[in-house]
Amino acid sequence: MGPFWSWLQETPIIYTIGKTDYLYDAFSVLHYFSVFIMVGTTGLVDLRVLGVGAQRQSVAQVARQFSPWIWTAVVVGIVSGFVEFAPGASSFAPDPIFEIKMVVIVLAIVCGLMVLRGAPRWSELPEIPVVAKLLAVISMLLWLGAILAALDFSAFSGLG
Amino acid sequence: MHEALFGFCRWLETTPWGAPTRETMWFYPFVQLIHFTGLSLWLSTNVALDLRLIGVGRWRRTAAELARDLFVLNWIGFCTVVTGGFLLFSATATTYIQNGAFLVKLGMLVPTALVFHVVVQSKSRTWGRTAELPGVARLAGLIELLLWLSVVTAAVEIPSY
């Protein structure tokens, strides 16, 4: 993958974005903002599955209401994240914390998808199944883990 | 006034919550996590109402209903952001108050956006009774959305100043 990342870094458009502070910062703002929206709206659905908040609507209604925004934010988050990653690709890619972050994000998105897909079925049952609640908890924990992995973690090695 | 503020910031850095946030290696990321988790809840519930007011997307709830649905979690999110933010500030308060981007963010943009949000949230009860919203409601939603975007922009610029 090494040569590929170097090639990506040298692509004229990526190189320009990396060297132009205001452009790079604009993508950072987009990334932060979309991640907040995504984690927040996913959390709202997860919390509703757990019986917290928005009690006037069913789980299915809450999921349907927020799913377009979750997916919009996922797409904006991935695109802006890629633009942030690309100018420093060869230093990001081999970093184990970065790799952990990517794996956790994929798992979190899959988990979120399962919650959104399950919601209409769960709503028809007399009670929300325990498996569904477990999935909602895992979804939230995965996002917390993703945020934690995204922070500056060199300090964290001190934990051993 | 300036001297008093600086003294207060110096004191914050020595408090039992400020000092460990700065000095304990593992504590800092968790404080950031509190701030970001709160932000996710706070901003997503704010933006949901803003988008509903603007009229983007297919919402099944009126703005009044949505404001009421999200009210409690919205303010739980706010308390969480403030807790995390206060701890982060306490850790290196004297550095923060000399940072231009931070001063713009906390001195100007956050108070403006916050006041605006409170007005928008309470006004939504009257604006949002019907599915079709008055022009002023749509404009207010758009302005609040832009205000929060400017808050995030100022925050992103903090390390560069």
Side-chain angles (χ1 to χ4, degrees):
Chain A
M1 284 306 266
F4 175 73
W5 298 132
S6 312
W7 169 81
L8 181 67
Q9 266 178 236
E10 302 304 323
T11 327
I13 185 161
I14 295 298
Y15 186 82
T16 310
I17 292 171
K19 289 279 173 237
T20 318
D21 284 348
Y22 72 89
L23 272 180
Y24 193 84
D25 289 355
F27 281 101
S28 305
V29 170
L30 220 52
H31 191 61
Y32 275 111
F33 208 74
S34 56
V35 168
F36 293 145
I37 304 299
M38 178 181 63
V39 175
T41 42
T42 307
L44 290 175
V45 178
D46 292 334
L47 286 171
R48 181 61 191 85
V49 170
L50 293 170
V52 182
Q55 292 298 336
R56 297 176 193 91
Q57 284 185 292
S58 71
V59 170
Q61 285 169 324
V62 172
R64 202 167 46 189
Q65 173 159 273
F66 289 115
S67 67
W69 300 110
I70 295 175
W71 296 120
T72 307
V74 166
V75 172
V76 177
I78 290 174
V79 172
S80 57
F82 178 77
V83 175
E84 283 192 280
F85 157 83
S90 24
S91 27
F92 272 122
D95 183 352
I97 303 277
F98 181 77
E99 286 169 1
I100 291 172
K101 180 187 166 188
M102 289 304 113
V103 173
V104 174
I105 287 175
V106 170
L107 291 175
I109 291 177
V110 170
C111 200
L113 186 66
M114 287 164 79
V115 172
L116 289 178
R117 288 186 61 122
R121 262 184 296 122
W122 303 332
S123 275
E124 312 232 313
L125 304 172
E127 217 171 302
I128 304 292
V130 178
V131 184
K133 294 190 173 181
L134 200 63
L135 209 55
V137 171
I138 294 171
S139 164
M140 287 196 291
L141 289 178
L142 282 170
W143 279 121
L144 292 184
I147 294 176
L148 212 46
L151 301 169
D152 184 12
F153 246 46
S154 49
F156 215 56
S157 49
L159 257 187
Chain B
M1 175 59 200
H2 185 262
E3 206 30 62
L5 186 65
F6 209 75
F8 174 68
C9 289
R10 251 199 313 266
W11 170 76
L12 272 180
E13 289 180 356
T14 61
T15 53
W17 60 89
T21 308
R22 181 179 60 254
E23 286 155 8
T24 324
M25 294 280 251
W26 61 269
F27 195 51
Y28 196 79
F30 282 101
V31 174
Q32 281 182 297
L33 182 65
I34 295 172
H35 194 54
F36 285 149
T37 306
L39 264 180
S40 299
L41 198 53
W42 169 244
L43 284 185
S44 63
T45 44
N46 286 351
V47 170
L49 183 58
D50 295 338
L51 290 168
R52 177 64 188 85
L53 288 171
I54 298 169
V56 191
R58 275 179 304 176
W59 296 89
R60 280 150 215 277
R61 308 286 276 169
T62 65
E65 287 169 330
L66 198 64
R68 202 178 47 181
D69 288 344
L70 299 177
F71 187 85
V72 175
L73 287 174
N74 182 240
W75 290 103
I76 289 177
F78 177 75
C79 295
T80 316
V81 190
V82 172
T83 306
F86 178 69
L87 288 172
L88 288 175
F89 176 72
S90 302
T92 49
T94 50
T95 317
Y96 273 120
I97 55 157
Q98 296 177 74
N99 184 293
F102 176 80
L103 291 177
V104 170
K105 179 194 170 192
L106 210 78
M108 214 168 78
L109 297 173
V110 170
T112 313
L114 186 60
V115 170
F116 210 85
H117 171 67
V118 173
V119 174
V120 166
Q121 197 174 46
S122 61
K123 276 288 200 181
S124 292
R125 279 167 216 177
T126 43
W127 284 337
R129 287 212 193 99
T130 50
E132 201 55 40
L133 288 158
V136 61
R138 306 180 72 158
L139 186 65
L142 182 65
I143 293 174
E144 196 197 331
L145 183 62
L146 292 175
L147 278 171
W148 290 118
L149 256 175
S150 72
V151 168
V152 175
T153 307
V156 165
E157 292 304 322
I158 289 175
S160 326
Y161 279 83

